[in-house]
Amino acid sequence: MKNTNIPYKIYLSENEMPKQWYNVKAFMKNPHPPFLNPATLQPCTKDDLRPVFCDDCIDQELNDTDAYIDIPEDIRSFYKTFRPSPLVRAYFLEKILDTPAEIYYKFEGNNTSGSHKLNSAAAQAYYAKKQGLKSITTETGAGQWGTALSMAAAFYGIDLTVYMVKVSSEQKPYRKEVIRTYGANVIPSPSDTTEAGRKILAEHPGTGGSLGCAISEAVEQAVKSDSCRYVLGSVLDHVLLHQSVIGLESKIALDKYGVRPDTIIGCIGGGSNFGGLVAPFMGDKLQGKNEIDFIGVEPASCPSLTRGKFVYDFCDSARTTPLAKMYTLGCGFMPSPNHAGGLRYHGMSPIVSQLYHDGYMRAVSVRQSEVFDAAVMFAKCEGILPAPESSHAIRVAIDEALECKKTGKKKTILFGLTGTGYFDLAAYKQYNDKTMTDTIPTDEDLAQGFATIPDIPQNRA
Amino acid sequence: MKNTNIPYKIYLSENEMPKQWYNVKAFMKNPHPPFLNPATLQPCTKDDLRPVFCDDCIDQELNDTDAYIDIPEDIRSFYKTFRPSPLVRAYFLEKILDTPAEIYYKFEGNNTSGSHKLNSAAAQAYYAKKQGLKSITTETGAGQWGTALSMAAAFYGIDLTVYMVKVSSEQKPYRKEVIRTYGANVIPSPSDTTEAGRKILAEHPGTGGSLGCAISEAVEQAVKSDSCRYVLGSVLDHVLLHQSVIGLESKIALDKYGVRPDTIIGCIGGGSNFGGLVAPFMGDKLQGKNEIDFIGVEPASCPSLTRGKFVYDFCDSARTTPLAKMYTLGCGFMPSPNHAGGLRYHGMSPIVSQLYHDGYMRAVSVRQSEVFDAAVMFAKCEGILPAPESSHAIRVAIDEALECKKTGKKKTILFGLTGTGYFDLAAYKQYNDKTMTDTIPTDEDLAQGFATIPDIPQNRA
């Protein structure tokens, strides 16, 4: 039953905003296997995680049973500075595509971080402050996560050190400057502030750094002090929990207008945006309440779901983190540097991996050049200049709508528009100059990556 | 009568959005004196303006009588891609300031142009298309206007050429790239595509260009062809008319919640944002219906209202445009290049000039360093990284709220947050590095500027 009086944008009123996050794990028949302590290969306990993460985040990470978890009032208060985000009916895109499909998108880019990352940054900075900690550390590559966390740290009044991949801090000096403006300390990584950094610098004096190394430095810095913890922007269950606010708001807005999505599409790198967007809809599917077609869209250059293995692997390339059972290209897999934007992670959220493995969702991989075709078409008719990451979802939403045009089916499509491309204009320049190319890993490239997956008993089953 | 249940953000529903613009001139006892044809020094006729501007815009420019002018459906449709903009209660800023004042801001930065400029770009691109024109031209300095117009031109399907001040196109390559992504042709100015450009290049081979020169090139290019017109982003009456949508939405939202502003604050460069924000409130004041304290905030480095003269002057530094009666520092005044962002215009909207001259508003000038102090304080508590231009208004809103703290008065303050600072991070870097300085023109600097005001009979009265 469709309501034909849908406005262009649907904003919830503030009292309609979610007061609880949605924990999809409570509805999974197969909760994902536990993280393993890399030293013992035994399931991680709270005590294993306590020196690294905030206590509340660990509780959330290990909670497989509670479907709803309260959002503290102080987080809801900060959420009000940038939420609710609009659910937009893409009338102009539909018109240009001349499709019978109805297309909606949930736009998470209307905040200074330019992405959905702020949803979890807010929660994690708050919990750190609540625990009485003095400071937090993190790493950032493209810079959206670092920006989001610097905003949250400024709001709650807690010190933040961001290890920023050196080459990014040089190529994106303005991202670095936003983070500094919010008062955070930005250290190009590798640095001489940690053992891990000094080791890399000694071995590779001129290196531009890597996300793996930045993670190692941030973790090392955090565990040094009892009043400091490390904060991560994707992959982990508690991050997906915080991001469920995206799906909850979408669901409330759609329910209010009597719209039921047939297809839900999100881009996937570490999985936080996709996991958050689909959470409550997926929970319903797991309970047999809907048959939504969930599509995760990944870059052909880093195809962890479509071409990866479902095994235990390290979450970082420096092989220091706990092991997670996930789809992975191998912690040593290096995605082609010519790929614009994020979605370059070797692994995938354990929750998303399990749902994919159990057949509750599909995955599609797309090439960068066709992603930018979609991005520019979208920008011109819908106004918003999308982030390259988000444009992966736009590409597949357009493809699905064009398929509807062929078949005459009136599907209702919802996709996640995770962020804006204001800091990705070097990539748009490549596209405008027609110098953008696609790189797809060969089977040999993948084999090299797979060879870096740890050879442990759990992977030999 | 104050309503205490004001939410953090007030979004109008789409059917509450204005269907007409507000023409404040209809309520002015002294409409501003007419533009003068620079050749004859007689009032400009429609025919004088027709080769340069679109017909509908000329009608609006010369309309001193109709209070309300319909917004065509196709413009309202495009407005829905980025409007309504939120009216935000600045709870967190109030809390940090510990002020009894209530502070509201109307945020116009939630669109890809990053500013209010899109309100008039939409209208002007639409009218050009409606007139059957093939193309439009404009100039851009900082790039917000060029971006906004490229978005509107893409939406309505009309070709656009943007003459971008060469030094800006080099210093802000990403701004240029956004404009290109929306399909516009960006030409660094001075260029060899026009007489004006070639002349400047011959005289000053290595020049980085100026806004004055870019205007001359854009106008020359437009008048060359019968199917092309020139489009301007500020100063003119029809631009302020289009921007009245800011004030109208603010007024509807405040009325809905029973809030009556005591003070309304906006930054002023050419005057389009300020003129648009205050329009309906000022119309009421002109009719004796309120006693609102209107404050225009200008940079101390370019103080056209607080230190300028109210005379006829050229709108461009190349001395080619019609003459406008306005507050001006002289069309040859060169504001210090160390000032960040916009608000560097030598003159002021004739409407705003007349209202100021007649005592219906105040003007305040502020220094750049204190503007950035306010910007960073605001970013940290309200989340949004403001544009340097907008931050002039934030500065004075904070000062007014602190004055309330002293006096104990519970004023209700509304200010315009015109845009975001995502493309102004070189300026934030200066601030963060503590290398930002203030430049205030000496009386001698001003005298040099005043010497460039045309010596015509109308100025000798």
Side-chain angles (χ1 to χ4, degrees):
Chain A
M1 181 72 108
K2 299 233 178 97
N3 183 324
T4 52
N5 286 318
I6 303 297
Y8 185 82
K9 279 183 207 161
I10 303 170
Y11 280 105
L12 300 181
S13 67
E14 286 178 11
N15 56 24
E16 290 172 318
M17 285 171 66
K19 294 183 178 59
Q20 296 177 308
W21 290 301
Y22 188 92
N23 183 13
V24 74
K25 289 193 287 180
F27 302 101
M28 289 169 70
K29 276 145 224 161
N30 303 318
H32 68 78
F35 290 95
L36 301 183
N37 180 318
T40 64
L41 297 185
Q42 294 304 304
C44 278
T45 62
K46 285 193 183 184
D47 284 342
D48 287 337
L49 300 171
R50 219 178 287 280
V52 182
F53 298 108
C54 299
D55 293 349
D56 283 292
C57 293
I58 296 170
D59 288 343
Q60 294 173 352
E61 187 67 27
L62 301 179
N63 187 334
D64 288 351
T65 49
D66 297 326
Y68 292 93
I69 293 176
D70 287 346
I71 307 175
E73 174 118 22
D74 280 346
I75 296 176
R76 280 161 45 209
S77 177
F78 183 38
Y79 274 0
K80 287 185 188 172
T81 67
F82 64 99
R83 307 200 68 81
S85 72
L87 182 80
V88 186
R89 171 80 181 266
Y91 279 114
F92 302 110
L93 181 62
E94 288 175 15
K95 202 172 154 193
I96 280 188
L97 297 174
D98 188 24
T99 174
E102 285 184 9
I103 308 175
Y104 296 84
Y105 56 93
K106 180 71 169 169
F107 180 41
E108 292 289 311
N110 266 353
N111 68 70
T112 295
S113 81
S115 83
H116 66 291
K117 295 284 184 184
L118 203 46
N119 298 323
S120 185
Q124 297 195 61
Y126 166 77
Y127 286 126
K129 182 74 180 181
K130 179 187 159 220
Q131 194 175 328
L133 302 173
K134 293 277 176 290
S135 60
I136 47 180
T137 68
T138 198
E139 77 291 333
T140 202
Q144 286 171 324
W145 170 246
T147 306
L149 195 60
S150 72
M151 293 170 67
F155 185 85
Y156 291 111
I158 185 164
D159 288 345
L160 167 65
T161 297
V162 179
Y163 286 91
M164 186 167 190
V165 178
K166 192 188 225 166
V167 63
S168 296
S169 81
E170 285 163 3
Q171 285 174 355
K172 298 196 171 189
Y174 292 156
R175 266 288 182 200
K176 179 177 153 189
E177 219 48 58
V178 183
I179 301 172
R180 282 183 75 204
T181 300
Y182 281 92
N185 181 24
V186 183
I187 301 180
S189 167
S191 75
D192 61 4
T193 64
T194 65
E195 283 289 336
R198 286 189 291 270
K199 187 160 170 253
I200 295 277
L201 283 173
E203 288 166 8
H204 309 279
T207 180
S210 69
L211 209 51
C213 173
I215 293 177
S216 305
E217 291 202 76
V219 172
E220 182 184 328
Q221 190 67 30
V223 298
K224 260 183 212 166
S225 159
D226 207 41
S227 63
C228 183
R229 291 294 183 281
Y230 167 71
V231 165
L232 186 68
S234 191
V235 181
L236 297 178
D237 296 3
H238 67 276
V239 180
L240 269 70
L241 175 74
H242 305 150
Q243 295 296 354
S244 69
V245 70
I246 305 172
L248 288 164
E249 277 189 12
S250 301
K251 194 162 187 291
I252 295 165
L254 290 174
D255 282 351
K256 194 171 164 181
Y257 288 90
V259 176
R260 287 164 180 274
D262 300 302
T263 306
I264 301 183
I265 302 166
C267 62
I268 38 175
S272 73
N273 140 65
F274 180 85
L277 172 66
V278 307
F281 302 96
M282 181 63 85
D284 283 354
K285 184 171 184 174
L286 290 165
Q287 296 171 76
K289 294 184 188 167
N290 71 43
E291 298 190 332
I292 294 172
D293 182 22
F294 296 99
I295 311 177
V297 188
E298 59 186 17
S301 62
C302 194
S304 51
L305 284 186
T306 51
R307 296 174 73 191
K309 293 191 178 181
F310 188 50
V311 291
Y312 269 105
D313 197 2
F314 291 100
C315 299
D316 68 333
S317 49
R319 308 171 78 90
T320 59
T321 64
L323 295 153
K325 180 81 181 275
M326 60 182 174
Y327 279 84
T328 176
L329 298 165
C331 60
F333 176 79
M334 290 296 290
S336 160
N338 99 330
H339 185 77
L343 311 184
R344 299 163 52 92
Y345 187 61
H346 70 273
M348 178 54 62
S349 141
I351 290 178
V352 172
S353 293
Q354 189 68 47
L355 290 168
Y356 179 65
H357 190 70
D358 291 344
Y360 290 104
M361 59 173 282
R362 292 195 284 146
V364 170
S365 80
V366 290
R367 287 162 191 250
Q368 170 165 258
S369 54
E370 58 193 11
V371 164
F372 276 81
D373 288 341
V376 172
M377 174 192 267
F378 181 83
K380 286 184 177 175
C381 65
E382 292 287 324
I384 298 165
L385 186 79
E389 295 87 342
S390 324
S391 304
H392 287 69
I394 298 176
R395 173 72 269 167
V396 173
I398 289 175
D399 291 344
E400 289 287 313
L402 290 175
E403 184 63 27
C404 288
K405 188 176 173 180
K406 266 193 216 158
T407 61
K409 270 195 191 161
K410 286 196 181 193
K411 280 193 189 168
T412 299
I413 299 167
L414 167 66
F415 73 88
L417 186 69
T418 52
T420 54
Y422 307 152
F423 290 87
D424 300 288
L425 285 155
Y428 275 98
K429 180 165 167 40
Q430 275 189 7
Y431 179 81
N432 294 333
D433 290 344
K434 304 194 196 317
T435 57
M436 178 170 275
T437 56
D438 294 315
T439 314
I440 298 173
T442 61
D443 288 343
E444 200 173 273
D445 294 334
L446 292 188
Q448 282 182 14
F450 292 147
T452 65
I453 292 170
D455 179 27
I456 60 171
Q458 287 85 343
N459 282 348
R460 286 177 220 133
Chain B
M1 181 71 109
K2 298 235 178 96
N3 183 325
T4 50
N5 285 319
I6 303 295
Y8 184 81
K9 279 183 207 162
I10 303 170
Y11 279 105
L12 299 181
S13 67
E14 285 178 12
N15 56 25
E16 291 172 319
M17 285 171 67
K19 294 183 178 59
Q20 297 177 307
W21 289 302
Y22 188 91
N23 184 13
V24 74
K25 288 193 288 181
F27 302 101
M28 289 169 71
K29 276 144 224 161
N30 303 318
H32 68 78
F35 290 96
L36 301 182
N37 180 318
T40 64
L41 297 185
Q42 295 303 304
C44 278
T45 63
K46 286 191 182 183
D47 285 342
D48 287 338
L49 300 171
R50 219 177 286 279
V52 182
F53 297 109
C54 298
D55 293 348
D56 282 293
C57 293
I58 296 169
D59 288 343
Q60 294 172 354
E61 188 66 29
L62 301 179
N63 187 334
D64 288 352
T65 49
D66 296 326
Y68 291 93
I69 294 176
D70 286 345
I71 307 176
E73 174 117 25
D74 280 347
I75 296 176
R76 279 160 44 209
S77 178
F78 183 39
Y79 275 180
K80 287 183 186 170
T81 67
F82 63 99
R83 308 201 66 82
S85 71
L87 182 80
V88 186
R89 172 80 182 267
Y91 280 113
F92 303 108
L93 182 62
E94 289 173 16
K95 202 172 154 194
I96 281 188
L97 296 174
D98 188 23
T99 173
E102 286 184 9
I103 308 176
Y104 295 85
Y105 57 93
K106 180 71 168 168
F107 179 41
E108 292 289 311
N110 266 351
N111 68 68
T112 295
S113 80
S115 83
H116 68 291
K117 295 283 184 183
L118 202 46
N119 297 324
S120 185
Q124 297 196 60
Y126 166 77
Y127 285 126
K129 181 75 180 178
K130 179 186 159 220
Q131 194 174 329
L133 301 173
K134 294 277 176 290
S135 61
I136 47 181
T137 68
T138 198
E139 78 290 332
T140 202
Q144 286 170 324
W145 169 246
T147 306
L149 195 60
S150 72
M151 292 170 68
F155 186 85
Y156 290 111
I158 187 164
D159 289 345
L160 167 65
T161 297
V162 179
Y163 286 90
M164 186 167 190
V165 178
K166 193 188 225 166
V167 62
S168 296
S169 80
E170 285 162 4
Q171 285 173 354
K172 298 196 171 188
Y174 292 156
R175 266 288 183 199
K176 180 177 153 188
E177 217 51 50
V178 184
I179 301 173
R180 283 182 74 203
T181 299
Y182 281 92
N185 181 25
V186 182
I187 301 180
S189 168
S191 75
D192 61 4
T193 65
T194 64
E195 284 288 336
R198 286 189 292 269
K199 187 162 171 249
I200 296 276
L201 282 174
E203 287 166 8
H204 308 281
T207 180
S210 69
L211 209 50
C213 174
I215 294 177
S216 305
E217 290 202 78
V219 172
E220 182 184 327
Q221 190 67 28
V223 299
K224 258 184 212 167
S225 159
D226 207 41
S227 62
C228 184
R229 293 292 185 281
Y230 168 71
V231 165
L232 186 68
S234 191
V235 182
L236 297 178
D237 295 5
H238 66 276
V239 181
L240 269 70
L241 176 73
H242 305 151
Q243 295 296 354
S244 70
V245 69
I246 306 172
L248 288 164
E249 276 188 13
S250 302
K251 192 161 188 291
I252 294 165
L254 290 175
D255 281 352
K256 194 171 163 181
Y257 288 89
V259 176
R260 289 165 179 274
D262 299 303
T263 306
I264 300 182
I265 301 167
C267 62
I268 38 175
S272 74
N273 142 64
F274 180 85
L277 172 66
V278 307
F281 302 97
M282 181 63 84
D284 283 353
K285 184 170 186 175
L286 290 166
Q287 297 170 75
K289 294 183 187 168
N290 71 44
E291 297 191 333
I292 293 173
D293 182 22
F294 295 99
I295 311 177
V297 188
E298 59 186 15
S301 61
C302 193
S304 51
L305 284 186
T306 51
R307 296 174 72 193
K309 293 192 177 179
F310 189 49
V311 292
Y312 268 105
D313 198 3
F314 291 100
C315 298
D316 68 334
S317 49
R319 308 171 77 93
T320 60
T321 64
L323 295 153
K325 180 81 181 275
M326 59 183 175
Y327 279 84
T328 176
L329 298 166
C331 60
F333 177 79
M334 290 297 289
S336 160
N338 98 328
H339 184 76
L343 311 183
R344 298 162 53 92
Y345 187 62
H346 68 274
M348 180 52 63
S349 141
I351 290 177
V352 173
S353 293
Q354 189 68 46
L355 290 168
Y356 179 65
H357 190 71
D358 291 344
Y360 290 104
M361 59 173 282
R362 293 195 284 146
V364 170
S365 79
V366 290
R367 288 163 191 249
Q368 169 164 258
S369 54
E370 59 193 10
V371 164
F372 275 81
D373 288 342
V376 172
M377 174 193 266
F378 181 82
K380 286 184 177 174
C381 66
E382 292 288 323
I384 299 164
L385 186 79
E389 296 86 342
S390 324
S391 305
H392 287 70
I394 298 175
R395 173 73 270 165
V396 173
I398 290 175
D399 291 344
E400 289 287 313
L402 290 175
E403 185 62 28
C404 287
K405 188 176 174 179
K406 267 194 216 155
T407 61
K409 271 196 192 160
K410 286 195 181 193
K411 279 193 190 168
T412 297
I413 298 168
L414 167 66
F415 72 89
L417 187 68
T418 52
T420 54
Y422 307 152
F423 290 88
D424 300 288
L425 285 155
Y428 276 98
K429 180 165 167 39
Q430 275 189 7
Y431 180 80
N432 293 335
D433 291 343
K434 303 193 194 321
T435 57
M436 179 170 273
T437 56
D438 295 314
T439 314
I440 297 173
T442 61
D443 288 342
E444 200 172 275
D445 295 332
L446 292 188
Q448 282 182 14
F450 292 148
T452 65
I453 292 170
D455 180 27
I456 59 171
Q458 286 85 342
N459 282 348
R460 287 179 219 132

